[in-house]
Amino acid sequence: RIDDIQWYRDHEHLLLSTGGKLYFYEIDVRGGINSYELTDLPDRQFYYDADDNAVYKMAGNQIVRLKF
């Protein structure tokens, strides 16, 4: 089950929330579809800011910024 999905700024990658984790997916099939687990995402929600190239998530009562 996919909880949230957002385009990465180059439109060749996706950020995907599923099962309490955030993944970075490469969707270009030339070298195979690669995925990388970035972080735990207990509330299954995130916000990606393409201008800042950062993901924001909640950790307890704090907003955490993950910079690419």
Side-chain angles (χ1 to χ4, degrees):
R1 172 179 164 225
I2 296 173
D3 297 302
D4 193 3
I5 190 166
Q6 297 177 31
W7 282 106
Y8 183 68
R9 67 184 182 177
D10 66 5
H11 297 284
E12 295 178 9
H13 298 83
L14 297 170
L15 294 157
L16 185 136
S17 166
T18 185
K21 306 257 185 212
L22 179 63
Y23 295 91
F24 186 71
Y25 274 87
E26 176 185 25
I27 59 172
D28 181 353
V29 296
R30 289 177 289 181
I33 296 175
N34 300 304
S35 67
Y36 307 93
E37 183 180 317
L38 298 179
T39 187
D40 289 333
L41 208 57
D43 66 358
R44 300 173 188 233
Q45 297 178 343
F46 69 98
Y47 170 74
Y48 173 65
D49 184 335
D51 293 331
D52 193 29
N53 198 26
V55 169
Y56 296 86
K57 71 173 193 167
M58 293 298 296
N61 62 352
Q62 297 181 347
I63 297 173
V64 175
R65 177 178 173 242
L66 306 170
K67 183 80 172 156
F68 280 89

